[in-house]
Amino acid sequence: MIRRATRDDVPAIAELVYELAEYEKARHECTLTVEQLDVALFGPSPALFAHVVEVDETIVGTAVWFLNFSTWDGVHGIYLEDLYVTPQQRGAGHGKALLAALARECTEQGYSRLSWAVLDWNAPSIAFYEALGARPQDEWTAYRLNGEALTRLGSMPT
């Protein structure tokens, strides 16, 4: 069953995020706490959303997402931050069902796009996404500012 996450799902979602970080060879970079995720999803000003896959009353997958905005289209879109299904549940259609739920969210809300990033070495995921009709946006280069560089820039006078 695919459904919107509830507050009771937060510990399971956090665990799946850590499993994804391990899969992506970046476990050491993941510092998310259950408390942080709870506030982001269900605090006074939630800006993060999630769907879960539940099989036999166990959460086995998640899609964690937030709204972005296209100034060119003039409407919101969804940015999929994390899509993860446990290894033993892969191949059962759960990932596709999660993406379908987000696509439905987009169409029902009038959002113009569903976007995400995938590591360039993750061939199984790339093949899965392309089989759904997704196409890489290879004319764009992603950038990130974090850590010391973010602090340094943020401390400059404006």
Side-chain angles (χ1 to χ4, degrees):
M1 168 177 43
I2 306 294
R3 60 173 175 76
R4 278 284 191 113
T6 67
R7 184 166 247 151
D8 291 339
D9 299 325
V10 171
I13 296 169
E15 185 176 319
L16 293 173
V17 168
Y18 273 90
E19 285 183 31
L20 174 60
E22 183 73 31
Y23 174 77
E24 292 183 345
K25 302 174 176 83
R27 168 59 183 84
H28 61 283
E29 295 178 26
C30 190
T31 61
L32 176 72
T33 67
V34 170
E35 293 76 18
Q36 287 172 319
L37 186 58
D38 184 79
V39 170
L41 288 167
F42 300 106
S45 300
L48 189 69
F49 309 93
H51 284 69
V52 295
V53 179
E54 186 175 13
V55 175
D56 298 327
E57 299 181 20
T58 301
I59 304 301
V60 299
T62 190
V64 179
W65 56 277
F66 55 89
L67 294 179
N68 57 19
F69 188 82
S70 170
T71 55
W72 290 11
D73 294 341
V75 296
H76 284 290
I78 287 177
Y79 186 84
L80 176 61
E81 179 66 20
D82 289 334
L83 178 69
Y84 185 75
V85 175
T86 60
Q88 57 273 33
Q89 290 291 328
R90 291 183 192 148
H94 301 312
K96 184 176 184 177
L98 283 166
L99 287 171
L102 297 186
R104 191 168 27 263
E105 186 92 24
C106 286
T107 57
E108 289 174 357
Q109 298 300 323
Y111 302 157
S112 63
R113 59 178 74 163
L114 171 57
S115 306
W116 63 91
V118 61
L119 291 165
D120 56 10
W121 58 259
N122 193 345
S125 293
I126 292 168
F128 167 67
Y129 297 142
E130 289 184 354
L132 295 176
R135 294 294 168 250
Q137 300 294 298
D138 54 10
E139 68 271 16
W140 296 88
T141 300
Y143 282 86
R144 178 176 295 157
L145 194 59
N146 63 355
E148 186 180 315
L150 178 65
T151 302
R152 186 173 50 250
L153 184 60
S155 66
M156 291 180 65
T158 54

